[in-house]
């Protein structure tokens, strides 16, 4: 699958220091979560890819920092898009259409549910889309992501599955 959405971080619920908003892929008790980790300043720039099993989250997961990424321009909110593409045991991740990372998750070959997920974050998701293999959008995104991976342009990490 390839799932993409635009995210508008409206506010933080309950004074949380580490609010997050992003996309999840779940199979059984195993969840992989790609999220903006913007902290309370809205400009921290971390994009985290983390695994959960049941109620146990394995923070900090794998992190790519985009130092110029901010959800605020003065008092105005700024939106950013997040894309998660799964190709077998590989997860490709993009921010604002730029591929930033590839994560290999050996053994994660089963069907998954996908969707949006927030942690103590008031967020608006818009322009969301899901595409499957052999569909035009998926194939175009996979071609871009695979080329970036082959060129060594992506952060790559190989988390150990539970």
């Amino acid at each position: 699958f390839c799932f993409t959405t635009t995210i508008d971080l409206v506010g933080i619920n309950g004074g949380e220091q580490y609010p997050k908003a992003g996309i999840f892929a779940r199979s059984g008790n195993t969840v992989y979560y790609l999220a903006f980790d913007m902290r309370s300043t809205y400009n921290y720039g971390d994009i985290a890819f983390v695994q959960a099993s049941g109620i146990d989250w394995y923070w900090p997961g794998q992190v790519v920092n985009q130092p110029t990424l901010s959800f605020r321009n003065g008092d105005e909110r700024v939106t950013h898009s997040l894309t998660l593409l799964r190709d077998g045991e590989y997860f490709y991740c993009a921010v604002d259409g730029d591929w930033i990372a590839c994560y290999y998750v050996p053994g994660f070959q089963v069907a998954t549910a996908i969707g949006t997920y927030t942690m103590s974050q008031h967020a608006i998701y818009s322009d969301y889309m899901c595409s499957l293999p052999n569909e035009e959008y998926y194939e175009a995104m996979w071609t871009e992501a695979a080329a970036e991976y082959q060129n060594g342009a992506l952060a790559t990490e190989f988390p150990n599955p539970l």
Side-chain angles (χ1 to χ4, degrees), residues 9 19 36-46 69-71:
L9 301 183
F36 290 116
D37 183 2
M38 300 311 294
R39 312 288 168 95
S40 60
T41 61
Y42 298 104
N43 65 355
Y44 194 68
D46 277 358
L69 187 69
S70 178
F71 279 85

Side-chain angles (χ1 to χ4, degrees), residues 98-128:
D98 294 325
W99 296 102
I100 62 165
C102 175
Y103 301 107
Y104 175 61
V105 183
F108 196 72
Q109 298 176 343
V110 294
T112 55
I114 55 173
T116 60
Y117 190 79
T118 61
M119 292 181 162
S120 301
Q121 184 77 64
H122 177 188
I124 297 172
Y125 293 86
S126 62
D127 302 322
Y128 41 87

Side-chain angles (χ1 to χ4, degrees), residues 32 49-51 61-62 102-106 156-162:
Y32 286 95
F49 183 77
V50 65
Q51 180 185 12
Q62 310 300 325
C102 175
Y103 301 107
Y104 175 61
V105 183
T156 56
E157 295 289 339
F158 304 105
N160 295 321
L162 296 176

